[in-house]
Amino acid sequence: MSRVVLDASALLAILNQEPGAEKLTPELLSTAAISTVNLAELHGKLVGRGLSPDDAWEAALSPIREAVPFSSEHARLVGDLVVQTRPVGLSLGDRACLALGLALKASVYTADKSWKKLKVGARIHVIR
């Protein structure tokens, strides 16, 4: 199986046992990567919900195989995606996820339904 990229919303679905999480199987997660931008976003959400920073960090890392450092190539792709993603209202973190998917030529998984409308060159899977 080829590598996949997860958005913070997909990881939150796993950690909170939300609908759609069952689509992120152990086999798929064994190839999963996340941008360090999205990892920071996820960690912050977990700390904001009351987890200790150490517990939040462990929880954020537990479902994934690899955290990929945000690079200058990713930064360029994030900027390139602004016009295409503006109508859907994507954040910088959302675009960082897509940029990693494009850079790795990997499928991207998210829980954000608005991503269904995107045509950015990455295969996008919306889990609910």
Side-chain angles (χ1 to χ4, degrees):
M1 178 175 257
S2 59
R3 195 171 348 174
V4 299
V5 173
L6 301 181
D7 180 45
S9 65
L11 283 170
L12 280 170
I14 293 168
L15 295 173
N16 294 329
Q17 299 176 340
E18 296 171 358
E22 69 281 355
K23 294 180 181 176
L24 301 169
T25 64
E27 180 184 30
L28 187 135
L29 291 173
S30 73
T31 68
I34 187 170
S35 168
T36 52
V37 172
N38 300 111
L39 183 59
E41 178 184 19
L42 177 61
H43 177 69
K45 286 183 186 289
L46 295 174
V47 170
R49 291 182 179 173
L51 270 69
S52 74
D54 288 341
D55 288 345
W57 189 248
E58 186 177 322
L61 287 173
S62 65
I64 60 165
R65 184 181 69 99
E66 179 183 14
V68 179
F70 190 73
S71 70
S72 59
E73 175 192 5
H74 302 155
R76 170 72 189 262
L77 288 167
V78 165
D80 291 349
L81 288 167
V82 167
V83 173
Q84 293 169 280
T85 61
R86 183 179 296 138
V88 181
L90 266 59
S91 68
L92 181 132
D94 295 335
R95 292 192 316 273
C97 176
L98 288 170
L100 180 59
L102 290 167
L104 297 177
K105 296 178 177 49
S107 294
V108 177
Y109 286 76
T110 184
D112 189 339
K113 292 177 186 172
S114 70
W115 290 30
K116 288 181 182 179
K117 301 173 187 173
L118 293 173
K119 303 286 186 229
V120 296
R123 185 165 176 175
I124 298 169
H125 300 271
V126 179
I127 62 170
R128 55 177 172 218

